[in-house]
Structures are given as structure tokens and as C-alpha cells.
Amino acid sequence: MSLLSERQKEELQKSILEYLHANNFNDAFNALKQETGIDYTPDPKAKYAGLLEKKWTSVIRLQKKIMDLENRNAALQEELSLSPAKRAALQTDWVPRAPAAYVLKGHRAQVLKVAFHPTFNLLASASEDATVKIWDWETGEFERTLKGHTRGVNDVAFDSKGNLLVTCSSDLFIKVWDVQNEWRNTKTFPGHEHTISSVRFMPGDQQIVSASRDQTIRIFDVASTHLVRTITGHTDWVRCVEPSEDGRVIISCSNDQTARVIDPLSGETKMELRGHEHTIEVVVFAPVAAYAAIRELAGIPSTERSNRPAAYAATGSRDRTIKLWDTQTGQLLRTLQGHDNWVRALVFHPSGKFLLSACDDKTIRVWELSTGRCVKTVEAHGHFVNCMAWGPQAPADPKANGAAGNGKAEPEKFVNVVATGSVDQTIKVWLP
């Protein structure tokens, strides 16, 4: 049974006859004409002239086109099957670039700190307006406002699982909020004798550590809200405090122009980092992923392979510089110069290749750690940039201290998203 209609059959046979005649296959022409019984006189002007060749070439062209489209379709399907998080994770060297994906507005005064939830797509922002606001950073939507402090909220941080949020304020109180219970303020710590500038959960989430203008660092027990230890040493306002990954040391910085590496159990200063010529606004420990680049920058022989947490730190100061330190020896490894104003925030890139800094010159700068060069400057806000945070990162496994800690799964461990907060009262979310 033929697939062609009578008309199509006739057209095909006439086209074949035309083809045979044009190519002087006279015997075949006559035989076909006789067998089909078609009365046809070849005519170079007829529509059948060259029709067979035309159809033949267009079929091959279409076939090629179909194959190209199928390949393209397969590639797009594969790309779609990767979730946004995975797709972004493939870009392990991503750094923020203008314009920002979202500009979050709602605070009535400057934004002082931002913090990402470790698992959900949530961002917390603390402001001079005495509130904390919660946002969905993937959609840019506002979620809720946490009220309770009576003066500016200076810092905000989640615990490692994202169950609790801790805040500290110029009202002298530290508050803990229960994320899973409608963000209720479940605990309030009468914290310090003066403005509390910084607060963090210690690894294990059983204790919190805070720093204050009363020149002390304090450690509190979360469950009982009791003060466990008061650590002295700084001679002026303590601006920032951060525990190491394993919680064995904490690092702090102050208006006294020093940073200190402190044993949180004994409260003794293990190392004092001196070199800045003005208040140190921010201090961060370098992640193990950054050690290779820092050693290359400082010319430390590669025989030094220790991956112990808290070996190196970075400080940012009102003297407009960023300094990298060896926390064991107190040695200054390198000074990064380029900002035109106070350096307010520092974040190590999760890949360990870059250090990001935010500054009162309204920019974010990206520094290549292995060379110390500024490789990128992003015009970030219309006013001073107070704070910056990198998106959720899987906590490093404390057991994986050796090279095993740098396994192949590195890119999966972090999400490419950065948030910044500014005196312009906005938060910006930077996405790939």
C-alpha cells in the first residue's frame, strides 16, 4: 500500500521521468513511461524540471538541521536539570559584579550587619533602626521584622544549624530568637556595660561570644544565659570577635589598633597583632582553602602543609588597609592597599583564591590572594558599605584536618551569593 496519494504519485513519476530525460537515460525513461502509462512530454519549463534534485537536497538540509536542534535541545535539558544552586556552584571562581540582583529596601536607618541562614534561602539584616529584618534572598522578597531591641542592632548571626538567631545591640542586650518557633525572642542576656558591637555562636552552639565598647569580650551559656567568662586585654572598644572553626581560639579587634588571638577557656591572649595605624574595624580567620594562596603570597615554603584552623587571619582598618597575618607568630605577611576610606568588612572567597573587602569608599574590592593584587572593584552602594556576607557554606568537618579535608566535593559546599548592607539603608544581593 502506497503512502502517497494519486496526485503525489503522479507528481513523483513525472519528476522521475523529467530527471531521466534530462540525464539522457532514454531507455529507462521509455520503460518507466510505458510501465506507468503516463502520457508525459518532457519540458524544461514545466514545474517538474529539476524538482527531484530540489526535494533531495532540501531533505538532507532538513535532516542536518533536525540533528543540530536535537543536540542543542539535549544540552539545554542537561542545563535545566541542574538546579540553580548546582549551576552556580559550577562557577567556583564567581565574584560579585554590578548590577546587584536585588536591592532590598525597608530599613529606616543604616544597615549594620547581614547574615545568611545556613540552609534556607533566608537573609537577616540588622539595622540602626533597632530592628532585624528577614528576607528571601532568592526572590528578593521581604519576610518579616523582628522587634525587641530598643536601640541599633549592631550584629546578627545564625547558629550552625540555623535553628537560632543571635543579635546584639547598643541597648546593652543580647537576644536569641527561635527561628522554628515564629522567630520568637526566647532569651535575653543582660550583656555588657556599654554598646555591644559583635556576637557569634561558638562552634557547638552551646555558647555565644560577644565584644563590647566596655573593652571586654564575654562568653555566655546559651541554655542558662549565664555569663561564663569575661575576657579583658584590649584597652579600648572591642569592635569584632570571631571564633575559629574548631573553637579553640577566638580573634578580636579593637579601637586600640590591635587584633588579639585569645584562648576562650583561659581568657589569655596568645598573640597580639600590631601594625595598623587606626581602629581595626573587622577581623576574620582565613579558611583552610585559602592557606595555599596565602603561603604563596607570603613566600612561606610549601613544606609548611599544616591545615590547622586559625593559622592565618585578615584585618581591615580605618587606616584604609587590609593586613594578612600569621596568627602563630604574629608576623605581618602582607598589606593590601587600594581602598580610599575605612575598610568595614572582609570575606574570604570559599574557593580560597580571593579576599573580598567592603569599604566606606562605597566599593567592594576583590583581591587575588596569591599575588595580593586587586583584580576587581565593584561600585556597590550610594553610600558607605558597612557589611558583607557570603552565602551558606557547609561547615568544614573538624575531623578532616589533613588533606582529606580538601576533597573533590569542594564546589558543592558553597552557594554563590553575596549580600552587602549600607548607610544608604539598603541591602544588595549579588547573584551569578
Side-chain angles (χ1 to χ4, degrees):
M1 194 183 118
S2 172
L3 293 170
L4 303 176
S5 68
E6 288 304 317
R7 185 161 159 256
Q8 287 173 321
K9 247 188 238 173
E10 190 185 343
E11 281 194 349
L12 177 62
Q13 286 160 354
K14 285 182 179 175
S15 302
I16 295 170
L17 285 169
E18 188 66 59
Y19 173 76
L20 294 171
H21 180 262
N23 288 283
N24 295 322
F25 300 131
N26 292 326
D27 293 350
F29 173 81
N30 292 326
L32 183 61
K33 193 172 173 183
Q34 192 183 340
E35 276 190 29
T36 55
I38 291 177
D39 178 26
Y40 179 67
T41 315
D43 173 8
K45 288 196 178 68
K47 72 168 186 176
Y48 303 109
L51 188 62
L52 202 63
E53 291 97 319
K54 260 190 226 138
K55 296 258 185 195
W56 183 256
T57 51
S58 66
V59 163
I60 288 175
R61 241 193 353 262
L62 282 168
Q63 227 170 348
K64 185 175 182 309
K65 209 159 197 173
I66 287 167
M67 283 167 75
D68 286 349
L69 284 168
E70 279 179 341
N71 288 337
R72 177 106 182 88
N73 187 29
L76 287 170
Q77 289 284 4
E78 190 179 352
E79 200 176 314
L80 275 176
S81 69
L82 288 175
S83 66
K86 276 202 186 133
R87 201 165 26 189
L90 294 177
Q91 304 169 279
T92 50
D93 288 352
W94 176 83
V95 292
R97 64 160 181 224
Y102 300 112
V103 181
L104 310 180
K105 296 178 177 169
H107 281 297
R108 298 208 173 112
Q110 58 175 320
V111 180
L112 298 173
K113 272 290 175 359
V114 285
F116 283 95
H117 190 282
T119 49
F120 305 143
N121 303 325
L122 295 176
L123 176 71
S125 59
S127 165
E128 188 79 59
D129 67 11
T131 71
V132 172
K133 288 187 186 292
I134 309 296
W135 315 80
D136 182 323
W137 58 258
E138 242 185 1
T139 62
E141 283 172 24
F142 167 73
E143 295 268 333
R144 64 173 67 222
T145 300
L146 309 184
K147 294 179 178 173
H149 285 295
T150 54
R151 294 187 58 194
V153 186
N154 297 318
D155 201 1
V156 59
F158 286 97
D159 71 2
S160 63
K161 295 183 182 66
N163 296 335
L164 299 174
L165 179 78
V166 66
T167 56
C168 66
S169 165
S170 302
D171 65 11
L172 315 190
F173 287 107
I174 295 167
K175 286 181 179 286
V176 171
W177 313 75
D178 188 340
V179 175
Q180 291 164 313
N181 184 14
E182 290 291 300
W183 301 84
R184 284 209 179 91
N185 173 203
T186 50
K187 293 195 164 74
T188 299
F189 302 71
H192 288 261
E193 273 95 71
H194 210 320
T195 293
I196 309 168
S197 34
S198 178
V199 67
R200 288 285 175 273
F201 280 95
M202 292 291 287
D205 302 330
Q206 303 295 310
Q207 295 181 328
I208 49 178
V209 58
S210 60
S212 164
R213 194 172 173 176
D214 66 13
Q215 306 182 11
T216 69
I217 294 161
R218 298 191 180 187
I219 295 174
F220 296 90
D221 179 67
V222 176
S224 67
T225 72
H226 289 159
L227 174 63
V228 177
R229 191 166 293 103
T230 300
I231 297 168
T232 55
H234 283 295
T235 57
D236 204 333
W237 188 337
V238 189
R239 288 277 170 182
C240 176
V241 65
E242 183 183 275
S244 62
E245 262 174 31
D246 57 5
R248 288 192 181 160
V249 291
I250 55 176
I251 195 162
S252 59
C253 64
S254 163
N255 283 29
D256 66 14
Q257 304 178 17
T258 70
R260 286 171 179 260
V261 181
I262 296 164
D263 179 341
L265 293 177
S266 65
E268 69 170 311
T269 298
K270 296 169 85 85
M271 189 53 65
E272 192 175 67
L273 309 177
R274 283 187 176 274
H276 281 293
E277 288 156 19
H278 204 324
T279 293
I280 305 177
E281 285 280 343
V282 58
V283 61
V284 285
F285 280 121
V288 175
Y291 286 11
I294 292 171
R295 285 171 188 149
E296 188 182 333
L297 173 70
I300 296 169
S302 55
T303 49
E304 174 59 56
R305 284 265 162 75
S306 154
N307 281 345
R308 180 181 59 248
Y312 304 103
T315 50
S317 164
R318 292 185 185 178
D319 66 13
R320 306 178 182 189
T321 68
I322 297 155
K323 292 184 187 285
L324 291 165
W325 309 83
D326 180 322
T327 58
Q328 261 60 46
T329 62
Q331 182 192 356
L332 172 63
L333 301 177
R334 179 63 77 96
T335 299
L336 307 177
Q337 287 173 310
H339 278 299
D340 303 330
N341 212 325
W342 296 1
V343 180
R344 301 295 288 264
L346 295 172
V347 172
F348 278 93
H349 192 285
S351 71
K353 293 180 186 172
F354 308 106
L355 175 65
L356 280 71
S357 56
C359 174
D360 279 357
D361 62 14
K362 309 175 195 174
T363 68
I364 300 169
R365 281 182 183 251
V366 179
W367 308 83
E368 184 178 48
L369 278 173
S370 56
T371 60
R373 283 184 318 123
C374 174
V375 291
K376 189 169 193 182
T377 303
V378 181
E379 300 292 333
H381 283 271
H383 211 311
F384 303 160
V385 189
N386 282 334
C387 54
M388 174 170 53
W390 194 285
Q393 293 173 48
D397 184 356
K399 293 192 286 294
N401 254 359
N406 303 345
K408 291 283 179 285
E410 283 290 299
E412 301 303 315
K413 278 191 176 174
F414 61 88
V415 182
N416 281 331
V417 55
V418 166
T420 52
S422 165
V423 175
D424 66 15
Q425 304 183 7
T426 69
I427 298 120
K428 288 197 181 184
V429 178
W430 310 82
L431 287 165

